[in-house]
Structures are given as C-alpha cells and as structure tokens.
Amino acid sequence: MNNLGISSGMLWTAAIALAALIAGTIIRLAALQVHPDEKRSERIASLKSWWCVAILVLAASVGGRLVIVVLMGMISVLAMREFLSLAMTRRSRRGIRIGAYVLLVVSYVMLAIGLVDWFVCAVPLLAFTIPSVTLIASGRADDAVNQIARTSFATLVTTYALGHAALLACLPPESNLVAGPAGWFLFLVATTQVNDIAQALVGRRIGRRPLTRVSPGKTWEGFVGGAAITIVVAVGLNRLLTPMSVNETIVASVLISIAGLLGDLNISLVKRDAGVKDSGTLIPGQGGILDRIDSLTFTAPAFYYFVQAINVS
C-alpha cells in the first residue's frame, strides 16, 4: 500500500490496462486506414468508448467501496431503462415501471450503508412482490402475469445480478489482503471483458462450429479459445489483485468464461424477442449499455459466490 492506501497491485493493473489500451488504439487506428469512412468513424467511436469505460472502472476501483456501489448503481439504472424498453409493451402500467426503479435505488442504498444480507435476501422477493402489489392496487388484471414476469426479470438481471459486482467491494477487508475488496471487483470486470473480447476475436478468426441459434456468431472455437486466453490473463492478474491460488484462479476463469457466455446469450434472447440487434445507442460504436455488460450479469453473481466459497473453506 502507498500513502493513499492504494495497493501496488492495483496501480500495476491500471498501468497494464492503460498500456493495453494504448497498444490496441495504435493497432486499430493503423488497421482503419483501409476501411471506408463510415466504418472508420464507427470504430473510432468504439475506441473512445473503451477509453471511457476503462477510466471509469479504474477510477471506481481506486475510489473504493462507495464509489464502486455508486458506479454500479448508475449502470443498473441505465440497464434497467434499456431492458424495460425492450421487454415491456406499450400496455404496461407506469406504476410497475416506477416500482422497479424504486427497488433499484433502495437496493443500492442497502449496499451503500452495508446491509449486504438484506440485499441478498430481500431483493429477489421484492422483485416479484412489488410488481404484483402495484397491479393489485391498480385493480386491473389484464396481462398481469406477463407484466409481473417481465418486470421481475428486468429487476433480477439489472439490479440483483449486476449488484453482485458491487457486493464484491462490500466484502470484509480481510477477504483480500492483496488489493482489498476492490481487487475482487477489478479482477471480475477485467476477466469478464477479456473473455468477451477473446471469444469474439477467436470466433471471427477460426470459428466454424456454431454454438447456438440464439446468437449465430457464437462458435465453440470462440468459446474454448476465449476461455484459454482468459485463464492466461487471469493467472497474470491474480497476483496483483487477489489472494487466490493458481488452481483457484483457473477454476474462477473457467467459471467466468461459462457464465459470461450465458450472460451474453441471455441478453441476446431478450433482444431477439424484441426484434433488435442492439439494446440501444448509448455507447458510441458499441450499442447500448446492455450490450456492454450482458456477460457481467451472470459473471458477477457466479464469481461472488465462488469467492464466498473459497473464503469459507
């Protein structure tokens, strides 16, 4: 730790991330010379978005628990907005949407003030109770099951599941003597993003065997190659950010690779049902916020409970 209370591992990780971004930016800009102007502007916009995402995540990790909770709360609000716009119809009640946002805010307030057990136990119950009570109060039963199910699903994905990333930062300091609880958070986000990128790149290069019709671009080669690259990167980052052993890191990497793929495909189901390619246009060159954090909706809870398991053992 330095005078600011920031671990050397956190600083090294930030330096590595920025160096990777600089190298990737140089390579991408060089490759863009052969692309049409329209494609070039889209890729440059994507590069700018990556820089913004990296700086936000690194700054939150350095800022600690409260900053991470606030960042994830803001991301959840944006994700909820996109999810409801995709999943809900024009017939949906305004009150049921308001209830979902109120629960989201209350959930992150719980995390901010340290009510972790309340978050873990209460949010899933309230996710279907609040929409149901809202419709009961309205006195209208038409399309009730559909609206309750869609609102509950939106809350579980964008509030409860994503909230587990913030939960990592709420773990006790003794759970991670290498980089503090924020180290768990940064490790999760870094490996999830590496897995996303690696699966996409390997799939484009050598992918031949389709994995599922839900997302035709996903291939078995991309999944296996992405998992292998994620393991290598995770083992390298682990010594800087977490106290896990090599074997635990490998298991965590495989878990994140599988969960990341399922999270991606889960949001693909929602988008296909809505008949859209991207969840929105919030992030230039990359689509909506759900397009960027889809994998995290599954990797966050998977990794959180894995960390809990190894700490107990």
Side-chain angles (χ1 to χ4, degrees):
M1 295 284 183
N2 56 29
N3 293 333
L4 296 175
I6 304 170
S7 72
S8 58
M10 193 77 75
L11 293 176
W12 273 108
T13 302
I16 292 169
L18 293 175
L21 273 171
I22 291 171
T25 299
I26 293 172
I27 293 171
R28 176 59 64 89
L29 290 176
L32 285 178
Q33 300 305 313
V34 299
H35 286 282
D37 290 341
E38 182 179 343
K39 199 71 172 179
R40 189 180 304 136
S41 61
E42 179 183 335
R43 297 293 174 83
I44 290 176
S46 179
L47 277 174
K48 292 178 180 178
S49 296
W50 272 116
W51 275 96
C52 291
V53 169
I55 291 171
L56 280 173
V57 170
L58 291 172
S61 300
V62 170
R65 179 182 66 86
L66 187 57
V67 180
I68 291 172
V69 170
V70 171
L71 174 64
M72 292 308 303
M74 292 170 60
I75 291 173
S76 285
V77 169
L78 296 172
M80 173 75 80
R81 179 175 176 271
E82 286 186 358
F83 202 111
L84 291 178
S85 69
L86 294 174
M88 303 297 281
T89 65
R90 293 181 179 179
R91 297 175 58 195
S92 62
R93 311 287 186 270
R94 183 182 180 188
I96 207 170
R97 293 173 180 263
I98 294 174
Y101 283 112
V102 169
L103 177 55
L104 188 155
V105 173
V106 170
S107 299
Y108 278 95
V109 169
M110 290 179 187
L111 295 180
I113 63 178
L115 298 178
V116 172
D117 291 339
W118 280 75
F119 176 90
V120 173
C121 298
V123 174
L125 296 174
L126 293 173
F128 69 83
T129 302
I130 290 177
S132 178
V133 171
T134 301
L135 291 182
I136 291 171
S138 73
R140 298 176 62 181
D142 55 298
D143 201 38
V145 174
N146 183 45
Q147 291 193 57
I148 293 171
R150 288 173 180 264
T151 309
S152 300
F153 188 31
T155 300
L156 290 174
V157 171
T158 64
T159 301
Y160 189 63
L162 274 182
H164 280 71
L167 268 177
L168 287 166
C170 297
L171 289 170
E174 57 269 23
S175 71
N176 188 345
L177 299 179
V178 175
W184 295 120
F185 170 79
L186 188 53
F187 179 87
L188 166 70
V189 175
T191 51
T192 298
Q193 294 306 311
V194 165
N195 182 64
D196 278 355
I197 295 169
Q199 284 193 15
L201 291 178
V202 174
R204 288 195 201 107
R205 293 288 184 180
I206 63 172
R208 296 292 182 274
R209 299 173 181 83
L211 198 152
T212 172
R213 286 182 293 179
V214 172
S215 182
K218 301 293 183 185
T219 64
W220 283 105
E221 292 86 353
F223 167 67
V224 174
I229 293 172
T230 301
I231 290 172
V232 172
V233 173
V235 170
L237 285 178
N238 181 62
R239 296 186 63 181
L240 300 174
L241 296 175
T242 86
M244 291 189 294
S245 67
V246 173
N247 288 339
E248 288 171 342
T249 305
I250 292 173
V251 173
S253 302
V254 173
L255 183 64
I256 285 171
S257 296
I258 296 172
L261 175 66
L262 293 175
D264 187 322
L265 294 175
N266 182 54
I267 299 301
S268 292
L269 283 173
V270 176
K271 290 188 292 186
R272 287 179 71 87
D273 183 53
V276 298
K277 179 179 180 293
D278 296 325
S279 63
T281 58
L282 180 66
I283 305 177
Q286 297 188 24
I289 192 74
L290 283 174
D291 296 309
R292 185 69 275 132
I293 53 87
D294 49 8
S295 300
L296 196 62
T297 60
F298 273 39
T299 61
F303 185 62
Y304 174 78
Y305 292 112
F306 176 78
V307 171
Q308 288 282 53
I310 62 175
N311 279 332
V312 169
S313 60

